[in-house]
Structures are given as C-alpha cells and as structure tokens.
Amino acid sequence: MGKIAFIGTGNMGGAIVRAVCAKVEAEQVYLANRGIEKAQALAEELGCNVCPDNLSAARDAEFIFLGVKPWQIREVIREIEPVLTGMETLVSMAAGVPAEAMAELLPKANPLIRIMPNTPCAIGEGLVLTAPHPSCPEEKAPELEQLLSECGRVGRTDEEHAEAAMTVGGCTPAFTYLFIEALSDGGVRAGLKRSEAMLWAAQAVAGAAKMVMESGQHPGALKDAVCSPKGATMEGIRTLEMNAFRGAVMDAVLVAAKRSAGLG
Ligand SMILES: NC(=O)c1ccc[n+]([C@@H]2O[C@H](COP(=O)([O-])OP(=O)(O)OC[C@H]3O[C@@H](n4cnc5c(N)ncnc54)[C@H](OP(=O)(O)O)[C@@H]3O)[C@@H](O)[C@H]2O)c1
C-alpha cells in the first residue's frame, strides 16, 4: 500500500484517519485541512504527516479520502485536478453527492468509491459501507475495505441505496445519543445520580445492540422475551407506543435520507 491522503480532517475524516492509522504505518498517511491546526493536531497525535495544501496531499497518493462537506467536493476536485494521473482512487464520504456527479468533474477516469461511514469508526466500533462506481476496477473496493477494517464493521452497498445507508449508519449515533440522554434524564428523575444514569443507560444500549447482532434474533422477539405480564417493561413500552416512538424514529430516518440526498 502506498501513500494515503486525507483532504478534510474534521469529525468524520478525522475518525477515519484514526482507524486507517491503526491499520497501516502512520508515515504512509498524509493529512490536509483548510485550517491546518486541525490536521496538525491529529498528525502529532497519530504520527502521520501533515501537508501545507491539498495538492501536496493528493500528489502520488494511492487513495485520496475527501472528508469535506458535500458542497465543497467540487471545489476540492478542481483544486487537486492538476496532480491527478487517473490512477489515484478517490474516496468520497460526502452525503448526497453521487459517484456519477463526481466522475463528471474529473478530467481522467480515476477509480471512484463512495463510503458511508459513522463517527464510532474513531474507536473501532463504527460502520462503513462502500459503494464503488461501476467503472471502478474490481480489486479497488476490497483493497479499500481492508484499509478500513479497523473502523469496525465494513460492508458493501451500491449507489441506489447510498443515502438510506448513509442515514441508517451515519445518523444513528446522533439519534442514539439522544435516546441515551433521555434514558438518563428519566433515571435522574427516578432518583439516580447523573453519572451513573448515563453510564448505565449507555451500557444497556450497547448490550442490547450486541444482543441483536450476536443472537441473530429479531428485535421484537428479544423485546417480547423481557416483557412479563403486567410488568414494568411492558408499562414503559406502552407509554413509548402511545407517544409514537417507532413512527417518530422511522420518520427521522426518512427525512434524514431525503435531506442527505439534497446536500450535494
Ligand atoms: N459527521 C458524520 O457523522 C458523517 C457521517 C457520514 C458522512 N459524513 C460526511 O463527511 C463529510 C465531512 O463531515 P464532517 O461532519 O466531518 O464535517 P466537518 O467536521 O466540518 O469536517 C469537514 C472538514 O473539511 C475541512 N475543509 C473544508 N473545506 C476544505 C478545503 N477546501 N480543503 C481542505 N479541507 C477543507 C474543514 O476544515 P475547517 O474546519 O478548517 O473549515 C473541516 O475540518 C461530509 O461530506 C459529510 O456528508 C459525515
């Protein structure tokens, strides 16, 4: 594996830099960011290189990760265009920017892969889905997936499902933080200390997620198994259902996917 460049090392780009540095030698990794301090701080912490501009990051890179906002993709591609030879694989994490739209911006037929990541990648508990552009050489996506393996779970999707995948994977951490906060607020109201309520709620959420993945059971069956007749859990579930909990979550996913598609 050769040089790996990151342009835009904010929340999401930075999380992926951490995972990639856990996989390859940090000297192979080059960071560029508009405000250089952000890239510098990350480079110092992880031992990778910092570049003074996007061009020097992109030059001779095997993979170029674009971690800028969707509406900044065009400007960054225009900027690095002079050093693109057609061999560098461009990896975009931008919501709402189809690979086809990126391909149209490129003078050469660089391999293109969209990824749909989330920020828990920074601690190896993330999700990254890859969606290679149809013209991307077959070996490129598995190479990228290997490179991202320290992010957590890595899977494959396609352009048609990109925004839905971006939402279920990318937005769920924020939705879940809200849920954990609400659970701990309830715990505090019921008399727990804030620090305990938060830790216990977070552990319960993490454990429930693991139960779904490791047992392979439907979440409804797991829920049924912990609801005894006239029990406390059933009483809580009734209240959640009366407040349209599941409908609200489903709507959140749908509006986020719609919004995501409009961002590019
Ligand atoms: N956050 C998530 O959970 C998540 C999930 C999935 C996908 N994404 C995607 O990830 C991308 C980044 O989102 P984010 O949340 O990480 O945003 P962010 O924290 O604002 O990061 C964007 C970074 O890009 C830098 N930047 C802007 N223009 C640049 C330029 N011309 N050259 C070099 N660097 C530039 C910014 O630097 P300055 O701060 O100095 O301006 C900033 O550090 C977006 O496209 C988003 O759709 C995010």
Side-chain angles (χ1 to χ4, degrees), residues 20-102:
V20 167
C21 283
K23 182 74 184 173
V24 300
E25 297 298 328
E27 300 92 77
Q28 290 171 257
V29 178
Y30 290 75
L31 313 181
N33 193 70
R34 183 164 57 187
I36 197 162
E37 306 76 24
K38 220 183 259 181
Q40 259 162 352
L42 206 55
E44 262 168 42
E45 181 194 329
L46 301 170
C48 50
N49 305 283
V50 62
C51 298
D53 52 52
N54 295 340
L55 270 182
S56 49
R59 186 175 286 115
D60 301 325
E62 194 171 339
F63 286 96
I64 304 174
F65 286 84
L66 302 176
V68 297
K69 292 286 191 190
W71 52 92
Q72 296 163 330
I73 288 279
R74 178 188 293 267
E75 154 200 342
V76 168
I77 289 185
R78 290 237 167 93
E79 198 186 337
I80 63 174
E81 207 183 271
V83 297
L84 295 180
T85 63
M87 299 301 290
E88 307 80 3
T89 300
L90 294 187
V91 183
S92 166
M93 59 195 79
V97 183
E100 199 51 52
M102 284 183 58

Side-chain angles (χ1 to χ4, degrees), residues 106-212:
L106 289 166
K108 305 210 170 65
N110 287 71
L112 284 172
I113 306 180
R114 282 187 75 185
I115 59 171
M116 294 91 210
N118 65 14
T119 49
C121 288
I123 55 161
E125 291 289 343
L127 170 71
V128 191
L129 299 165
T130 63
H133 185 261
S135 69
C136 184
E138 218 170 278
E139 69 282 3
K140 282 293 166 193
E143 275 178 37
L144 175 68
E145 287 158 1
Q146 263 303 310
L147 183 62
L148 295 171
S149 60
E150 293 293 323
C151 284
R153 187 177 292 263
V154 181
R156 184 86 59 91
T157 183
D158 53 28
E159 189 64 45
E160 188 192 341
H161 300 100
E163 301 322 322
M166 187 74 96
T167 307
V168 170
C171 302
T172 290
F175 298 164
T176 308
Y177 300 141
L178 205 70
F179 183 47
I180 292 172
E181 189 186 11
L183 288 171
S184 41
D185 280 349
V188 171
R189 176 67 183 84
L192 297 179
K193 282 192 213 149
R194 169 66 63 186
S195 56
E196 290 173 347
M198 215 155 64
L199 182 67
W200 297 342
Q203 176 60 46
V205 168
K210 273 203 158 164
M211 282 287 280
V212 172

